[in-house]
Amino acid sequence: MEKSDLRKIKDWLWEIPRESKPDMKVPARVFATEKMIEEILEDRSLDQLVNVAGLPGIVGHAVAMPDIHEGYGFPVGGVAAFDAENGIISPGGIGYDINCGVRLLCSEVGLPEIRSRVPELGKAFYQEIPSGVGRAGRLKLSDKELDQILLKGVKRMVELGYADPEDSLNAEESGYLSTADPKMVSVRAKDRGRDQLGTIGAGNHFVELEEIEEIFDKEKAEKLGLFLNQVVVLIHTGSRGLGHQVATDYIKIMMAAAAKYDIVLKDRELASAPFGSEEGQAYFRAMSAAANFAWANRELVSWEARRAWKSVLGEKTGGLRLVYDVAHNIAKIEEHLVDGKKRKLVVHRKGATRAFPDQPVLVPGSMGTRSYLLSGEEAAMTESFGSSCHGAGRRMSRTEARKTIVAGELRQDLAAKDVVVFAGSIAGLVEEAPEAYKDVDEVIDVIQNAGIASKVAKMRPVAVIKG
Amino acid sequence: MPYKILGHTADIRLSVEGKDLEEVFKDALKGMVFIAGPREPEDSKETARKIKISAGDRTGLLVDFLNEVLFGMEKNYEFYTDVDFKELSSTKLVASLKARPAIRFERNIKAVTYHEAEIREKENGFLSTTIVFDI
């Protein structure tokens, strides 16, 4: 892919026309500045986006967010909508970590009131919330118990007493998809996830204590119960081994299905089946179950965080209330206008967040940089199937990060920024260093300029917990 | 020829090669375990884990083999130092993995992907492929 293949529409929007590459069924659009486009062209993410634009039943545009980077099959930071009657569903368009997502909890206190307790709080979070690879959660679920979680997500956690009843009001889809069918989830997937509920895992997953550093929209912030200097908790994790195995199982099933339905695959990871087919429906129901597991997972992590918070600060400082929870790896059935007509679509978001008008959108940066709370805007519905970006987006490979970033210096840099870090793996910490990521402020500016979502608040990390 | 870890923006790309399928599979196993970075407890003992896998072609068999290894590492908290093949063809393998217990892993491999995977014969007759791991 060359820069000359792209046509600039606006300062923050580029298009790869349908006619420019063989097999494209719709144009591909990228939300990015010219500087970002040059960086994006360094990997194969736009070639992957073009491949997506050629899949059966795709409508409108294949969309890339400013945090796009190379994935496998589909790029990360992409949105693709397929007609529910004539289009496909593809596990690769959702990703292995089904319903990887972010949630924000807010406290009732400002940082100045508890500043001296931050290291103690960070340590308590690190001890109470299992992180890394090989640390199990507190629940060992039987098949029957696990099936209830796969069916009901957050709703089940409320029934079990691990969630505040109001939590389900403040999550995308109320924290569960009613299309889930635990019978569509393999024994192997259940075995991988059985002891992982309430764990964050490793890689780019984290729990962070943050301070609200700046408020851009006072009215919206107040409505969400947010104020300047407030201490908040940001949680980033997904469906753990259970979701990874569901994706693995169904990519294999879909490779056979693609041949059965004459779908030509440029990459095996684009494996797909018609949404209405037996295989397509089985995957959608299994994916919904894994998504429910992820919501329940973030709920149990929140329960552990709430417990740690109280164990350090007692009852006087109040608790942690869920502000919102969003998925950024998921497929949803939604209605959108396409060429002026309302159509039922299977919207695939892989590294992209739903951003319906007035909906809170959570965009974590990297540790040491800012995270944002945005509010979805009307233009998202016409420009990006109601979707926004999901993070800063990686720009440096893990191997390069290990070669160029020194762990000791990274810790010193973070300490100089008043960020305390608790991490199980030093190598893992280095791979997730701020230098490995794009500038989140630039990503957010593109989203705001495009009218997809507007800034509500900016947060800075004060304690980072990683696996 | 030992495996090579190559760059990938978000994940990890592994390049493996060997004079035959057995060498490719062994090399890929070693590369994958290196990427996972297991930490072994003191006084641990080696055990054997039997596996049997079928797939449509040799590339699919390799990806399925590595996914079997991943499942074993995550479910049983163990890692594998080598593999003895009782049978290995393009579509089927029967083997025994040499397993050792792990107390933790440096990296969380979410999945072994089919992205870029294709076992090809090189000019020198060796077989090679790339495997991308979702991290």
Side-chain angles (χ1 to χ4, degrees):
Chain A
M1 179 76 60
E2 303 289 332
K3 196 174 167 190
S4 57
D5 292 322
L6 288 112
R7 187 168 65 90
K8 185 174 174 179
I9 296 176
K10 290 175 188 165
D11 283 345
W12 55 83
L13 180 60
W14 300 70
E15 183 172 280
I16 305 167
R18 188 168 66 86
E19 305 73 29
S20 65
K21 301 277 172 192
D23 307 325
M24 282 177 81
K25 291 187 171 61
V26 295
R29 286 195 164 182
V30 189
F31 289 94
T33 60
E34 188 157 5
K35 186 182 150 214
M36 286 172 164
I37 287 288
E38 276 158 16
E39 268 194 6
I40 290 167
L41 283 165
E42 286 172 15
D43 71 19
R44 286 182 253 178
S45 43
L46 295 187
D47 297 303
Q48 294 183 335
L49 189 69
V50 164
N51 290 342
V52 172
L55 288 172
I58 189 164
V59 301
H61 306 92
V63 182
M65 291 295 152
D67 53 335
I68 187 176
H69 61 74
E70 186 180 349
Y72 25 84
F74 286 64
V76 177
V79 183
F82 300 87
D83 186 273
E85 276 183 27
N86 306 314
I88 53 97
I89 185 167
S90 174
I94 289 115
Y96 284 92
D97 197 355
I98 295 165
N99 190 5
C100 184
V102 189
R103 63 166 44 194
L104 181 70
L105 304 165
C106 68
S107 75
E108 296 169 27
V109 291
L111 184 64
E113 294 165 65
I114 61 158
R115 194 185 300 273
S116 62
R117 313 294 298 276
V118 168
E120 203 184 335
L121 269 173
K123 192 176 173 188
F125 274 42
Y126 182 65
Q127 285 170 342
E128 294 298 325
I129 303 166
S131 60
V133 195
R135 272 188 77 188
R138 67 171 55 238
L139 304 179
K140 301 282 173 286
L141 301 164
S142 67
D143 283 342
K144 210 173 156 188
E145 288 164 338
L146 183 54
D147 282 358
Q148 285 297 305
I149 283 161
L150 296 177
L151 262 180
K152 298 181 189 170
V154 167
K155 210 167 142 187
R156 182 61 182 160
M157 299 311 278
V158 173
E159 288 170 1
L160 293 171
Y162 288 109
D164 290 347
E166 303 79 50
D167 287 1
S168 56
L169 303 173
N170 298 319
E172 183 176 341
E173 300 296 337
S174 303
Y176 89 102
L177 292 174
S178 59
T179 43
D181 183 351
K183 292 195 293 294
M184 297 296 126
V185 177
S186 69
V187 171
R188 178 159 282 213
K190 289 178 183 177
D191 279 347
R192 269 181 83 174
R194 198 179 296 282
D195 66 353
Q196 293 182 340
L197 201 71
T199 65
I200 60 171
N204 61 0
H205 292 168
F206 61 77
V207 175
E208 287 182 0
L209 276 160
E210 309 223 339
E211 174 195 25
I212 295 190
E213 187 182 49
E214 192 174 351
I215 286 182
F216 304 96
D217 187 327
K218 206 171 167 221
E219 199 185 323
K220 281 185 177 164
E222 275 177 4
K223 211 171 155 189
L224 293 167
L226 304 177
F227 55 87
L228 197 62
N229 301 126
Q230 185 179 17
V231 177
V232 294
V233 178
L234 202 57
I235 296 167
H236 178 210
T237 187
S239 50
R240 309 287 286 109
L242 184 139
H244 309 162
Q245 190 64 41
V246 166
T248 299
D249 292 341
Y250 279 92
I251 284 171
K252 196 171 178 188
I253 290 168
M254 294 284 192
M255 282 196 302
K260 178 175 160 188
Y261 298 109
D262 291 328
I263 299 169
V264 179
L265 302 176
K266 285 191 173 174
D267 181 328
R268 294 192 202 212
E269 291 286 325
L270 294 171
S272 39
F275 180 65
S277 68
E278 189 188 334
E279 296 87 347
Q281 282 299 298
Y283 170 67
F284 184 59
R285 292 182 185 286
M287 184 221 70
S288 301
N292 290 349
F293 185 83
W295 271 309
N297 184 36
R298 290 196 286 278
E299 199 61 61
L300 190 55
V301 169
S302 305
W303 187 84
E304 302 283 7
R306 284 164 164 155
R307 205 160 157 264
W309 178 269
K310 284 204 171 167
S311 75
V312 174
L313 299 174
E315 298 287 338
K316 276 194 287 184
T317 48
L320 296 170
R321 182 180 59 80
L322 179 60
V323 178
Y324 206 66
D325 180 306
V326 283
H328 54 224
N329 280 2
I330 201 161
K332 305 276 284 287
I333 307 301
E334 295 171 3
E335 283 190 343
H336 290 271
L337 284 175
V338 183
D339 299 328
K341 273 184 165 175
K342 197 182 261 188
R343 286 173 74 174
K344 192 175 164 191
L345 305 175
V346 187
V347 180
H348 291 56
R349 297 189 178 96
K350 181 179 181 181
T353 310
R354 194 184 72 174
F356 286 179
D358 290 327
Q359 178 215 302
V361 177
L362 300 166
V363 185
S366 61
M367 60 181 163
T369 63
R370 280 29 179 181
S371 293
Y372 283 85
L373 171 66
L374 311 176
S375 179
E377 295 289 347
E378 288 292 340
M381 303 311 284
T382 52
E383 300 292 311
S384 59
F385 299 102
S387 315
S388 179
C389 64
H390 85 308
R394 282 194 80 93
R395 63 174 189 83
M396 187 189 284
S397 73
R398 293 175 185 279
T399 39
E400 193 184 344
R402 281 201 187 195
K403 274 183 208 158
T404 55
I405 298 163
V406 180
E409 288 173 11
L410 172 62
R411 278 189 181 276
Q412 277 175 9
D413 287 349
L414 291 169
K417 290 175 183 165
D418 283 333
V419 183
V420 288
V421 180
F422 297 88
S425 162
I426 297 301
L429 188 73
V430 165
E431 289 180 10
E432 293 298 321
E435 294 90 319
Y437 283 85
K438 294 179 193 175
D439 184 339
V440 70
D441 297 330
E442 284 181 17
V443 169
I444 298 298
D445 284 344
V446 168
I447 293 295
Q448 177 146 303
N449 286 336
I452 288 173
S454 57
K455 295 179 196 176
V456 175
K458 182 160 80 168
M459 300 162 278
R460 75 168 189 95
V462 294
V464 175
I465 290 91
K466 290 192 79 74
Chain B
M1 182 86 178
Y3 60 82
K4 280 186 200 155
I5 309 282
L6 307 175
H8 183 284
T9 316
D11 301 311
I12 291 185
R13 192 179 262 133
L14 179 76
S15 166
V16 293
E17 75 171 50
K19 67 177 187 313
D20 54 24
L21 218 48
E22 184 169 329
E23 270 196 14
V24 169
F25 276 58
K26 279 178 179 267
D27 202 30
L29 171 71
K30 285 176 183 167
M32 179 176 170
V33 170
F34 174 80
I35 289 166
R39 294 290 172 264
E40 200 176 344
E42 284 177 21
D43 303 326
S44 64
K45 281 182 188 161
E46 187 176 284
T47 53
R49 185 79 58 184
K50 307 258 186 264
I51 55 168
K52 193 174 168 183
I53 305 166
S54 300
D57 59 36
R58 60 190 184 181
T59 302
L61 190 70
L62 175 62
V63 173
D64 288 355
F65 165 66
L66 295 178
N67 269 317
E68 185 75 26
V69 167
L70 176 62
F71 176 76
M73 291 202 294
E74 199 165 307
K75 177 74 176 54
N76 305 317
Y77 296 106
E78 63 190 22
F79 67 101
Y80 308 104
T81 55
D82 207 350
V83 56
D84 289 327
F85 291 100
K86 305 281 176 287
E87 186 184 336
L88 177 61
S89 69
S90 289
T91 56
K92 190 183 171 192
L93 70 81
V94 180
S96 175
L97 288 159
K98 290 181 182 172
R100 300 195 75 88
I103 43 172
R104 58 170 286 124
F105 293 89
E106 282 293 311
R107 283 202 187 92
N108 186 17
I109 298 177
K110 290 177 182 168
V112 184
T113 79
Y114 291 91
H115 184 56
E116 298 177 6
E118 192 65 64
I119 299 177
R120 288 199 173 95
E121 194 170 331
K122 295 171 72 176
E123 277 181 10
N124 61 6
F126 274 53
L127 299 173
S128 73
T129 186
T130 297
I131 299 284
V132 177
F133 295 91
D134 187 6
I135 304 294

